[in-house]
């Protein structure tokens, strides 16, 4: 029994083993079949891999699978948010029907880029990415199977135009209808390449070439800006560089417009002069700029300083206005500042001061009228002390005059002279020049009638930024009266003269007596 039973048991075991092996084979076949299914894995999660570049800077188009090297200038610091469409179930055929025909308008993310609105779709609160890194890359994950509206929700100030909102499905159908690198598989990690028009803040300099008030083109303001790179399908809507001048400045003009150091054809832009001076590119100019991505454009504005403000400091900031539009360049783009916010330059300042000089009599300090002066630059304008200032160059013109004459109060008034200048950094809210005073040399060229012109007529003059109070003087310059021959009115010479006159009168009297006796015979006989 046991032996029989043992034999039966062996056959049964063998049969059971074969059955188990067959069952295992069926299981493996079923697993392989399931793995090869092309259907969407509704339980999977995916991600949106974001590659952020400046518009128009990529050398090639990206692909959803991320296998193409696109190149391009990365944009750092941009945050995206993916809003899941909650009333669209991608596990159903109905959800996919017509999805490819959904048009996403530019304002689909709302005015704040955080309030998605797209037809009858509803959205969740969104999943945000980290800010793009120095390579312009970030991601949003994990994301369940769904359709998402992706919005650019935060960007640095250099980003002028936010990336257009777009739809992404997880998974993405990587087929020939959607991408040239199709492999027919669903992509659960989808690469996207949203682009920005990046406007870097323009920079501004300052240079004073004439140190006296009201000299034409005496202050120049070079403004340098980078031409943004834009998409082939876009055009510039406008490109204007403008400089609104402070009330102490006037006669704004444009000295030059250059691109990468070469003059720009004047037919490409319009110059507007006056209190607000600007350069605005016309239709042909905008088309030209589109062909010059990342080029450096420099506009040099000029002005003259008309008055000295009470504090002496004149501030100046220019603004770059640039925007893009889909399609062709507008027929008549604005060539003056549009009613849109622009990108300001750093702040620059110049400082100025007047000079009040008192001309007096050296003996009694009374005012002297009619003394004439000229003013010169000093060889060391920012010396610790101006006491040893030495003149250089030609006389300085102020309000068109190079000579200044003392008036009836003995006042020699020089309306305004340059003190210092400074270009601040982009982050500086307030800018102050390094020096608050500057050395000049005052030269007396003619003394009032009856007074001596000093042998050394050069007098150091310290000009402080700001306006000198009417009752005060920056300097007092005395004059000495002319010398004349000494009058013989006192002393030994006067006594001798009186003695000689007395002797003469006595001699005249004696002479008359002798004459009288000679004419009287009776007197002679006696």
């Amino acid at each position: 029994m046991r032996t029989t039973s043992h034999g039966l048991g062996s056959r049964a075991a063998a049969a059971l083993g074969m059955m188990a092996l067959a069952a295992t084979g069926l299981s493996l076949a079923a697993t392989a079949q399931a793995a090869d299914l092309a259907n969407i894995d509704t339980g999977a999660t995916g991600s949106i891999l974001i590659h952020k570049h400046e518009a128009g800077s990529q050398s090639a188009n990206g692909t959803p699978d991320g296998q193409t090297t696109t190149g391009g200038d990365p944009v750092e610091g941009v945050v995206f948010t993916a809003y899941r469409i909650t009333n669209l179930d991608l596990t159903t055929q109905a959800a996919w029907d017509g999805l490819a025909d959904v048009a996403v308008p530019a304002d689909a993310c709302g005015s704040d880029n955080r309030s998605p609105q797209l037809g009858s779709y509803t959205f969740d609160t969104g999943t945000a990415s980290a800010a793009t890194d120095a390579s312009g890359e970030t991601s949003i994950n994990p994301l369940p199977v769904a359709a998402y509206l992706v919005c650019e929700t935060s960007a640095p100030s250099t980003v002028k135009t936010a990336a257009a909102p777009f739809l992404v499905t997880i998974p993405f159908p990587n087929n020939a209808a959607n991408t040239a690198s199709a492999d027919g598989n669903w992509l659960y990690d989808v690469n996207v390449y949203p682009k920005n028009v990046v406007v870097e803040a323009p920079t501004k300099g300052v240079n004073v070439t004439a140190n006296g008030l009201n000299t034409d083109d005496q202050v120049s303001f070079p403004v340098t800006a980078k031409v943004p790179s834009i998409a082939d399908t876009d055009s510039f809507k406008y490109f204007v560089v403008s400089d609104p001048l402070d009330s102490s400045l006037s006669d704004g003009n444009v000295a030059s417009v250059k691109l990468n150091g070469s003059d720009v054809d004047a037919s490409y832009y319009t110059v507007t002069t006056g209190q607000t001076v600007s350069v605005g590119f016309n239709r042909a100019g905008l088309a030209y700029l589109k062909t010059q991505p990342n080029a450096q454009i420099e506009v040099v504005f000029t002005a003259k300083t008309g008055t000295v403000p009470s504090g002496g400091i004149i501030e100046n900031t220019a603004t770059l206005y640039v925007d893009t539009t889909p399609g062709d360049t507008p027929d008549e783009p604005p060539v003056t500042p549009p009613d849109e916010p622009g990108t300001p330059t750093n702040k620059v300042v110049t400082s100025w001061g007047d000079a009040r000089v008192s001309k007096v009599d050296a003996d009694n300090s009374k005012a002297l009228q009619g003394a004439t002066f000229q003013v010169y630059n000093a060889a060391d304008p920012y010396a610790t002390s101006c006491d040893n200032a030495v003149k250089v160059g030609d006389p300085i013109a102020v309000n068109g005059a190079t000579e200044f004459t003392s008036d009836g109060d003995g006042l020699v008034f020089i309306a305004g002279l340059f003190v210092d200048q400074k270009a601040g950094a982009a982050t500086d809210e307030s800018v102050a020049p390094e020096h608050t005073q500057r050395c000049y040399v005052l030269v007396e060229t003619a003394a009032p009638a009856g007074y001596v012109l000093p042998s050394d007529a050069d007098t150091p003059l310290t000009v402080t930024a700001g306006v000198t109070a009417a009752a005060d003087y920056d300097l007092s310059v005395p004059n000495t009266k002319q010398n004349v021959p000494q009058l013989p009115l006192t002393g030994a010479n006067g006594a001798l003269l009186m003695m000689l006159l007395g002797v003469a009168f006595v001699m005249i009297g004696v002479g008359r007596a002798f004459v009288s006796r000679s004419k009287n015979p009776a007197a002679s006989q006696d």
Side-chain angles (χ1 to χ4, degrees):
M1 290 289 293
R2 288 194 296 273
T3 302
T4 303
S5 297
H6 177 71
L8 292 173
S10 297
R11 289 195 296 272
L16 288 172
M18 292 178 65
M19 292 176 62
L21 181 60
T24 301
L26 290 172
S27 177
L28 290 173
T31 302
Q33 183 180 6
D36 289 340
L37 286 175
N39 300 77
I40 294 172
D41 183 358
T42 58
T45 59
S47 62
I48 300 175
L49 306 176
I50 299 171
H51 308 268
K52 187 66 169 170
H53 299 97
E54 291 186 28
S57 68
Q58 294 182 177
S59 57
N61 291 326
T63 55
D65 60 9
Q67 298 303 307
T68 302
T69 301
T70 64
D73 299 322
V75 182
E76 185 177 1
V78 182
V79 175
F80 290 86
T81 301
Y83 295 96
R84 183 169 63 89
I85 300 177
T86 56
N87 60 344
L88 193 67
D89 183 2
L90 293 188
T91 65
T92 66
Q93 183 61 38
W96 288 93
D97 289 341
L99 189 60
D101 296 328
V102 174
V104 181
D107 60 353
C109 295
S111 59
D112 60 355
N113 285 338
R114 298 176 183 272
S115 306
Q117 295 178 349
L118 184 61
S120 60
Y121 293 134
T122 57
F123 300 89
D124 69 359
T125 56
T127 302
S129 72
T132 53
D133 60 19
S135 299
E137 297 185 352
T138 189
S139 63
I140 306 174
N141 61 79
L143 297 175
V145 172
Y148 296 86
L149 177 67
V150 181
C151 300
E152 183 177 308
T153 49
S154 177
S157 60
T158 54
V159 173
K160 176 64 176 179
T161 303
F166 55 94
L167 282 176
V168 176
T169 61
I170 303 293
F172 177 82
N174 191 28
N175 53 33
N178 297 303
T179 175
S181 63
D183 61 6
N185 293 319
W186 290 99
L187 287 175
Y188 291 86
D189 298 310
V190 185
N191 291 264
V192 295
Y193 305 84
K195 302 173 185 65
N196 284 126
V197 174
V198 176
V199 178
E200 294 184 2
T203 59
K204 185 167 192 174
V206 58
N207 185 39
V208 175
T209 57
N211 287 18
L213 284 188
N214 279 314
T215 304
D216 290 339
D217 303 332
Q218 70 183 130
V219 187
S220 61
F221 301 107
V223 177
T224 303
K226 180 181 177 182
V227 178
S229 174
I230 65 175
D232 291 339
T233 55
D234 292 344
S235 298
F236 282 113
K237 186 177 180 180
Y238 50 77
F239 193 105
V240 179
V241 185
S242 177
D243 194 349
L245 300 177
D246 182 272
S247 59
S248 293
L249 301 171
S250 64
D251 293 0
N253 211 331
V254 174
S256 63
V257 180
K258 295 180 181 293
L259 190 82
N260 289 340
S262 299
D263 290 332
V264 176
D265 190 328
S267 67
Y268 284 159
Y269 59 85
T270 296
V271 172
T272 302
T273 60
Q275 202 60 30
T276 295
V277 58
S278 62
V279 169
F281 283 80
N282 55 31
R283 192 174 193 273
L286 294 179
Y288 169 70
L289 290 180
K290 182 178 177 178
T291 68
Q292 304 295 320
N294 302 316
Q296 294 292 321
I297 188 165
E298 182 195 61
V299 177
V300 178
F301 297 111
T302 61
K304 67 180 179 182
T305 306
T307 59
V308 177
S310 59
I313 294 179
I314 302 173
E315 296 181 345
N316 185 266
T317 303
T319 303
L320 170 65
Y321 298 89
V322 59
D323 201 358
T324 62
T325 183
D328 294 334
T329 306
D331 290 336
E332 296 183 1
V335 292
T336 56
D339 293 330
E340 300 289 342
T343 304
T345 66
N346 54 301
K347 185 180 294 184
V348 302
V349 297
T350 58
S351 59
W352 304 77
D354 63 6
R356 292 173 56 86
V357 178
S358 175
K359 186 61 175 175
V360 296
D361 186 305
D363 295 320
N364 53 34
S365 297
K366 291 183 178 180
L368 284 178
Q369 183 178 8
T372 302
F373 292 87
Q374 291 179 330
V375 63
Y376 291 79
N377 284 302
D380 185 359
Y382 299 117
T384 304
S385 171
C386 297
D387 291 346
N388 298 313
V390 177
K391 70 178 182 181
V392 291
D394 298 323
I396 296 172
V398 177
N399 292 329
T402 57
E403 289 191 333
F404 313 95
T405 303
S406 59
D407 62 15
D409 295 321
L411 171 65
V412 182
F413 182 63
I414 303 174
L417 294 168
F418 171 63
V419 176
D420 201 5
Q421 64 189 25
K422 185 175 182 180
T427 55
D428 292 340
E429 293 186 4
S430 61
V431 180
E434 179 181 354
H435 305 98
T436 59
Q437 63 184 37
R438 186 182 182 99
C439 298
Y440 287 91
V441 176
L442 192 67
V443 178
E444 187 171 353
T445 57
Y451 287 83
V452 177
L453 184 67
S455 57
D456 184 3
D458 295 4
T459 304
L461 172 65
T462 302
V463 175
T464 303
V467 175
T468 305
D472 296 333
Y473 294 97
D474 299 293
L475 181 67
S476 180
V477 179
N479 269 130
T480 302
K481 297 180 182 69
Q482 290 276 8
N483 289 324
V484 295
Q486 191 171 7
L487 296 177
L489 299 177
T490 59
N493 289 338
L496 176 61
L497 177 61
M498 293 302 293
M499 183 181 296
L500 292 174
L501 288 173
V503 171
F505 286 133
V506 170
M507 294 302 295
I508 291 172
V510 171
R512 286 181 176 177
F514 279 113
V515 171
S516 176
R517 290 182 64 88
S518 64
K519 290 181 178 181
N520 188 348
S524 300
Q525 292 175 359
D526 294 336

